[in-house]
Each structure stands twice: as C-alpha cells, then as structure tokens.
Amino acid sequence: NAGVTQTPKFQVLKTGQSMTLQCAQDMNHEYMSWYRQDPGMGLRLIHYSVGAGITDQGEVPNGYNVSRSTTEDFPLRLLSAAPSQTSVYFCASSYKGRGEGEAFFGQGTRLTVV
Amino acid sequence: GEDVEQSLFLSVREGDSSVINCTYTDSSSTYLYWYKQEPGAGLQLLTYIFSNMDMKQDQRLTVLLNKKDKHLSLRIADTQTGDSAIYFCADWSDTGNQFYFGTGTSLTVIP
C-alpha cells in the first residue's frame, strides 16, 4: 500500500515553461486535492476533486489546471511557469472529504521557477 | 473563507510541556485536526477532535477545544527532540468543501 505518491520530488523550470506534477493514490479515495506551501502562509488549496470527472477551484487556482480521469490520478499542470509559482506542492487524498477521515499527503514536490 | 490562525514559532526545553494554540472562524466546523510535518516530508495526522468534545487525550497528546471561543490547543507532554517539527491546525468546512490549514507552528525542542 503506497498511499499518495507524488513525482517529481524536485524540479527547476524556466519562466514560461510548462510541466505536470503527478499524483497517484491507491486507497480508492474519492477526494483529492493540491496545495501549495509557502513560508508563513501555511497550505493553500489550489484545486480539488470529489471524484473522477469532477474538479473545482480552491483558493489560489490561477496558473494551474487539473483533471481527474480516474479515481487514482490527479495531475496538476502549470501552463506557463512564473517565479511566483516557486513553492512546495502537496497532493492529498481522503476518503470522502467530509472531514470524517484524515487526509493523506504525498511527500511534496519542491518547484523552483527561474 | 475560513481563517485558521497559529503563532509561527515555539521553543521549549526537552522534558517540558509544549502548548500550541490555534483559533478558527468557521462556527460550523465539525472536525478539527492537528498535523505534524517533519523536514522534507509531507503532513501526517497526529490527532483530531470532533466538535462536540471538549478534550481528547492520546498518550502524550492532549487536545482542548473551546468551541465558544473557537480556540483549539495541542499539548505535548514530556516534549522530546524528536517532536521538533511544524504543527498545523486544520478544520474541515462543509460550506467550502475543503480543509483549511493554519500557517503552522514551528516547534523547536532544546536539549
């Protein structure tokens, strides 16, 4: 049981490049989400999904796209990277997202945009 | 949206108790959580409390909830150097359909 797997662990991008951060979970969780963590700001929600085919925006969605074609995978796409997107990104999943169960987090992707 | 506030830093001596505080604004919060983040790692759930409880104890951890003041605290008894980490308070919002996290409190344990 791998839990939540994020790849890559580290990435350096040039301004304007695009890339996809991968997230996969093997717990059959319906709710998946992406956060970014910045110093002094805690975790801020980028996008979330309550099931395959359903996604919605969080607090800071601009510059990011998501899709959820399967229950297991929830990739995050950066369309045109900007230095303001330098951050640590976490993917998380939980059973229903109703608060009754814990959220399981991936190990994070440290992204630097130069 | 929901606001979850924490102080940024706390320093304690090994063997002392640590108390990390958190305030939140959503009166409809049903579950409140404490997560721990060690360096270079993701967040791991430490404990949680249901909103109809005042207190929950789990080994060295004690969670106190004052729902009237919307105040949550985490007490770690006999703090060890391995407890040094960032601790996040979080709650689940049914209206926002998401978890809201505080800024995190960086706990440093001095040997």
Tab-separated table of all heavy atoms in Angstrom, chain B residues 15-38:
chain	number	residue	atom	x	y	z
B	15	GLY	N	11.718	17.744	27.855
B	15	GLY	CA	11.107	17.311	29.109
B	15	GLY	C	9.967	18.201	29.565
B	15	GLY	O	9.123	17.773	30.357
B	16	ASP	N	9.941	19.454	29.069
B	16	ASP	CA	8.836	20.355	29.408
B	16	ASP	C	7.611	20.010	28.558
B	16	ASP	O	7.693	19.228	27.614
B	16	ASP	CB	9.235	21.807	29.166
B	16	ASP	CG	10.226	22.306	30.197
B	16	ASP	OD1	10.438	21.607	31.215
B	16	ASP	OD2	10.792	23.401	29.981
B	17	SER	N	6.494	20.645	28.899
B	17	SER	CA	5.294	20.516	28.071
B	17	SER	C	5.273	21.633	27.028
B	17	SER	O	5.722	22.744	27.298
B	17	SER	CB	4.037	20.616	28.926
B	17	SER	OG	3.923	19.497	29.761
B	18	SER	N	4.741	21.303	25.861
B	18	SER	CA	4.557	22.299	24.793
B	18	SER	C	3.063	22.514	24.616
B	18	SER	O	2.292	21.547	24.644
B	18	SER	CB	5.119	21.788	23.460
B	18	SER	OG	6.427	21.314	23.607
B	19	VAL	N	2.682	23.738	24.412
B	19	VAL	CA	1.279	24.027	24.108
B	19	VAL	C	1.228	24.870	22.835
B	19	VAL	O	1.790	25.968	22.788
B	19	VAL	CB	0.568	24.773	25.250
B	19	VAL	CG1	-0.888	25.066	24.856
B	19	VAL	CG2	0.616	23.956	26.528
B	20	ILE	N	0.584	24.341	21.829
B	20	ILE	CA	0.439	25.036	20.549
B	20	ILE	C	-1.028	25.427	20.414
B	20	ILE	O	-1.921	24.597	20.576
B	20	ILE	CB	0.864	24.122	19.384
B	20	ILE	CG1	2.312	23.670	19.585
B	20	ILE	CG2	0.724	24.865	18.052
B	20	ILE	CD1	2.753	22.599	18.617
B	21	ASN	N	-1.239	26.702	20.120
B	21	ASN	CA	-2.596	27.238	20.074
B	21	ASN	C	-3.046	27.550	18.646
B	21	ASN	O	-2.229	27.829	17.767
B	21	ASN	CB	-2.676	28.523	20.910
B	21	ASN	CG	-2.476	28.241	22.378
B	21	ASN	OD1	-3.210	27.472	22.977
B	21	ASN	ND2	-1.450	28.850	22.967
B	22	CYS	N	-4.360	27.540	18.470
B	22	CYS	CA	-4.953	27.752	17.150
B	22	CYS	C	-6.331	28.383	17.338
B	22	CYS	O	-7.071	27.995	18.262
B	22	CYS	CB	-5.068	26.400	16.445
B	22	CYS	SG	-6.024	26.387	14.926
B	23	THR	N	-6.639	29.351	16.517
B	23	THR	CA	-8.002	29.896	16.502
B	23	THR	C	-8.570	29.758	15.100
B	23	THR	O	-7.826	29.775	14.113
B	23	THR	CB	-8.036	31.378	16.923
B	23	THR	OG1	-7.202	32.130	16.033
B	23	THR	CG2	-7.565	31.554	18.346
B	24	TYR	N	-9.883	29.593	15.023
B	24	TYR	CA	-10.538	29.424	13.732
B	24	TYR	C	-11.815	30.246	13.727
B	24	TYR	O	-12.281	30.705	14.780
B	24	TYR	CB	-10.810	27.946	13.457
B	24	TYR	CG	-11.707	27.286	14.476
B	24	TYR	CD1	-13.067	27.124	14.244
B	24	TYR	CD2	-11.192	26.820	15.687
B	24	TYR	CE1	-13.895	26.532	15.178
B	24	TYR	CE2	-12.010	26.230	16.628
B	24	TYR	CZ	-13.354	26.081	16.370
B	24	TYR	OH	-14.173	25.503	17.307
B	25	THR	N	-12.387	30.429	12.553
B	25	THR	CA	-13.542	31.322	12.461
B	25	THR	C	-14.837	30.614	12.083
B	25	THR	O	-15.916	31.148	12.322
B	25	THR	CB	-13.287	32.443	11.436
B	25	THR	OG1	-13.000	31.853	10.163
B	25	THR	CG2	-12.144	33.337	11.879
B	26	ASP	N	-14.752	29.407	11.491
B	26	ASP	CA	-15.959	28.756	10.997
B	26	ASP	C	-16.690	28.047	12.137
B	26	ASP	O	-16.230	27.026	12.637
B	26	ASP	CB	-15.582	27.748	9.901
B	26	ASP	CG	-16.798	27.145	9.213
B	26	ASP	OD1	-17.942	27.415	9.648
B	26	ASP	OD2	-16.611	26.406	8.238
B	27	SER	N	-17.833	28.584	12.533
B	27	SER	CA	-18.567	28.006	13.658
B	27	SER	C	-19.212	26.664	13.294
B	27	SER	O	-19.656	25.936	14.177
B	27	SER	CB	-19.638	28.982	14.142
B	27	SER	OG	-20.512	29.298	13.078
B	28	SER	N	-19.247	26.331	12.002
B	28	SER	CA	-19.868	25.063	11.605
B	28	SER	C	-18.858	23.930	11.500
B	28	SER	O	-19.199	22.821	11.090
B	28	SER	CB	-20.586	25.235	10.263
B	28	SER	OG	-19.648	25.467	9.239
B	29	SER	N	-17.593	24.197	11.861
B	29	SER	CA	-16.569	23.154	11.783
B	29	SER	C	-16.967	21.960	12.620
B	29	SER	O	-17.310	22.098	13.792
B	29	SER	CB	-15.226	23.683	12.278
B	29	SER	OG	-14.749	24.694	11.444
B	30	THR	N	-16.919	20.773	12.026
B	30	THR	CA	-17.306	19.571	12.756
B	30	THR	C	-16.103	18.777	13.233
B	30	THR	O	-16.161	18.095	14.239
B	30	THR	CB	-18.189	18.674	11.877
B	30	THR	OG1	-17.544	18.487	10.617
B	30	THR	CG2	-19.560	19.289	11.667
B	31	TYR	N	-15.020	18.838	12.482
B	31	TYR	CA	-13.794	18.138	12.860
B	31	TYR	C	-12.635	19.120	12.828
B	31	TYR	O	-12.527	19.928	11.907
B	31	TYR	CB	-13.488	17.001	11.883
B	31	TYR	CG	-14.456	15.845	11.946
B	31	TYR	CD1	-15.612	15.850	11.188
B	31	TYR	CD2	-14.207	14.758	12.773
B	31	TYR	CE1	-16.509	14.803	11.248
B	31	TYR	CE2	-15.098	13.698	12.836
B	31	TYR	CZ	-16.243	13.728	12.071
B	31	TYR	OH	-17.127	12.688	12.138
B	32	LEU	N	-11.770	19.031	13.820
B	32	LEU	CA	-10.555	19.845	13.856
B	32	LEU	C	-9.376	18.916	14.047
B	32	LEU	O	-9.466	17.920	14.774
B	32	LEU	CB	-10.636	20.887	14.968
B	32	LEU	CG	-11.754	21.902	14.706
B	32	LEU	CD1	-12.778	21.879	15.812
B	32	LEU	CD2	-11.184	23.298	14.536
B	33	TYR	N	-8.290	19.248	13.374
B	33	TYR	CA	-7.175	18.321	13.257
B	33	TYR	C	-5.863	18.976	13.682
B	33	TYR	O	-5.690	20.187	13.579
B	33	TYR	CB	-7.008	17.892	11.794
B	33	TYR	CG	-8.234	17.287	11.172
B	33	TYR	CD1	-9.233	18.100	10.650
B	33	TYR	CD2	-8.382	15.912	11.092
B	33	TYR	CE1	-10.362	17.543	10.069
B	33	TYR	CE2	-9.504	15.353	10.512
B	33	TYR	CZ	-10.487	16.175	10.007
B	33	TYR	OH	-11.594	15.622	9.433
B	34	TRP	N	-4.932	18.115	14.079
B	34	TRP	CA	-3.537	18.521	14.227
B	34	TRP	C	-2.683	17.609	13.356
B	34	TRP	O	-2.746	16.385	13.473
B	34	TRP	CB	-3.072	18.437	15.670
B	34	TRP	CG	-3.591	19.544	16.532
B	34	TRP	CD1	-4.602	19.484	17.440
B	34	TRP	CD2	-3.120	20.899	16.548
B	34	TRP	NE1	-4.795	20.709	18.011
B	34	TRP	CE2	-3.899	21.593	17.499
B	34	TRP	CE3	-2.113	21.593	15.865
B	34	TRP	CZ2	-3.704	22.944	17.772
B	34	TRP	CZ3	-1.923	22.933	16.139
B	34	TRP	CH2	-2.714	23.598	17.080
B	35	TYR	N	-1.906	18.255	12.477
B	35	TYR	CA	-0.973	17.544	11.618
B	35	TYR	C	0.455	17.934	11.988
B	35	TYR	O	0.714	19.039	12.434
B	35	TYR	CB	-1.199	17.904	10.145
B	35	TYR	CG	-2.362	17.190	9.509
B	35	TYR	CD1	-3.658	17.685	9.643
B	35	TYR	CD2	-2.173	16.031	8.762
B	35	TYR	CE1	-4.728	17.029	9.053
B	35	TYR	CE2	-3.233	15.376	8.173
B	35	TYR	CZ	-4.504	15.879	8.330
B	35	TYR	OH	-5.567	15.225	7.741
B	36	LYS	N	1.376	16.991	11.754
B	36	LYS	CA	2.810	17.233	12.010
B	36	LYS	C	3.573	17.109	10.704
B	36	LYS	O	3.323	16.185	9.917
B	36	LYS	CB	3.329	16.195	13.011
B	36	LYS	CG	4.807	16.298	13.340
B	36	LYS	CD	5.219	15.180	14.300
B	36	LYS	CE	6.692	15.248	14.656
B	36	LYS	NZ	7.105	14.128	15.547
B	37	GLN	N	4.486	18.050	10.474
B	37	GLN	CA	5.330	17.988	9.293
B	37	GLN	C	6.794	18.011	9.714
B	37	GLN	O	7.265	18.996	10.279
B	37	GLN	CB	5.056	19.158	8.339
B	37	GLN	CG	5.862	19.088	7.054
B	37	GLN	CD	5.646	20.277	6.152
B	37	GLN	OE1	5.448	21.396	6.621
B	37	GLN	NE2	5.685	20.061	4.844
B	38	GLU	N	7.491	16.936	9.415
B	38	GLU	CA	8.926	16.893	9.679
B	38	GLU	C	9.673	17.418	8.454
B	38	GLU	O	9.104	17.432	7.347
B	38	GLU	CB	9.328	15.471	10.048
B	38	GLU	CG	8.673	15.030	11.350
B	38	GLU	CD	9.134	13.678	11.829
B	38	GLU	OE1	9.887	13.020	11.104
B	38	GLU	OE2	8.715	13.295	12.937
